[in-house]
């Protein structure tokens, strides 16, 4: 038996101004995307913005439904829209922002497990790392690749 350890490296910023221009623009798009949330049950508004290889940005926001499993997270709304509308373009980065009643939360919005799995597959499809930016009010985290938020990714294809 040997004990192993997995280390995760990420970057923390205290202001959007500290981000690289492209990342900052994507984070701002995610914040704007929160306005598209339809969250009559949780009142938690989440926005996501995906940047494609040619610079195109596709937004998404969480969409809830009375039949609960029928709703969808902001991240998957954005990624599926990007995949459906720009099937030949790689997803390079995704930014996520969220907060109660549309007010950006202090703690960065962290994606759920299902959204991480979907990110992992689009990253595999692209054959290049997809960075993940989680935006909070005064705290921003950037992970350089999906592997860093989903260690030991399931990838059978
Ligand atoms: N939600 C997202 O949109 N993204 C996540 O990563 C986690 C949760 C949404 C789903 C639901 O509409 C609301 O936030 C509360 O869970």
């Amino acid at each position: 038996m040997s004990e192993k350890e997995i280390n995760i490296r990420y970057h923390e910023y205290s202001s959007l101004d500290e981000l690289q221009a492209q990342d900052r623009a994507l984070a701002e798009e995610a914040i704007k995307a929160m306005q598209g949330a339809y969250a009559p049950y949780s009142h938690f508004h989440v926005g996501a913005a995906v940047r494609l290889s040619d610079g195109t940005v596709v937004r998404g926001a969480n969409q809830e439904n009375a039949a609960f499993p029928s709703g969808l997270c902001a991240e998957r709304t954005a990624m599926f829209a990007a995949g459906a509308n720009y099937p030949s373009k790689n997803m390079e980065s995704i930014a996520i922002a969220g907060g109660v009643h549309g007010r950006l939360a202090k703690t960065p919005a962290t994606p759920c497990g299902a959204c991480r799995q979907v990110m992992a597959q689009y990253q595999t499809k692209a054959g290049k790392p997809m960075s993940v930016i989680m935006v909070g009010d005064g705290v921003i985290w950037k992970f350089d690749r999906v592997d860093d938020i989903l260690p030991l990714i399931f990838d059978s294809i």
Side-chain angles (χ1 to χ4, degrees), residues 38-39 42 44 46 61-64 72-75 96 110-112 115:
Y38 174 56
S42 72
F44 192 69
V46 186
N62 55 327
Q63 304 296 312
E64 297 183 353
L72 198 63
C73 293
E75 298 91 320
I96 306 138
T110 54
C112 78
C115 288

Side-chain angles (χ1 to χ4, degrees), residues 3-157:
E3 197 170 87
K4 310 276 188 186
E5 197 173 299
I6 295 174
N7 290 305
I8 295 175
R9 191 179 284 267
Y10 63 102
H11 314 269
E12 184 175 272
Y13 306 88
S14 53
S15 146
L16 290 175
D17 296 330
E18 292 177 14
L19 295 168
Q20 291 167 348
Q22 257 192 335
D23 290 345
R24 181 189 169 156
L26 199 65
E28 285 170 345
E29 286 287 328
I31 293 169
K32 285 186 201 148
M34 288 168 67
Q35 290 166 17
Y38 174 56
Y41 305 102
S42 72
H43 305 294
F44 192 69
H45 295 195
V46 186
V50 175
R51 189 180 64 245
L52 305 178
S53 40
D54 68 347
T56 302
V57 171
V58 179
R59 290 188 194 173
N62 55 327
Q63 304 296 312
E64 297 183 353
N65 191 276
F68 281 175
S70 304
L72 198 63
C73 293
E75 298 91 320
R76 273 176 287 164
T77 306
M79 287 186 282
F80 291 156
N85 290 296
Y86 304 95
S88 61
K89 290 177 189 164
N90 291 337
M91 298 184 204
E92 286 191 338
S93 185
I94 182 167
I96 306 138
V100 178
H101 290 295
R103 200 192 146 93
L104 187 63
K106 285 205 182 311
T107 309
T110 54
C112 78
C115 288
R116 293 176 197 214
Q117 190 67 45
V118 171
M119 288 173 198
Q121 188 149 340
Y122 284 122
Q123 178 179 262
T124 301
K125 181 173 179 254
K128 290 180 191 159
M130 184 197 299
S131 60
V132 184
I133 300 164
M134 304 177 192
V135 185
D137 188 11
V139 189
I140 301 113
W141 294 330
K142 180 179 178 186
F143 298 79
D144 290 332
R145 52 190 63 78
V146 178
D147 314 55
D148 294 333
I149 56 167
L150 190 63
L152 312 177
I153 289 175
F154 168 71
D155 183 11
S156 69
I157 52 173

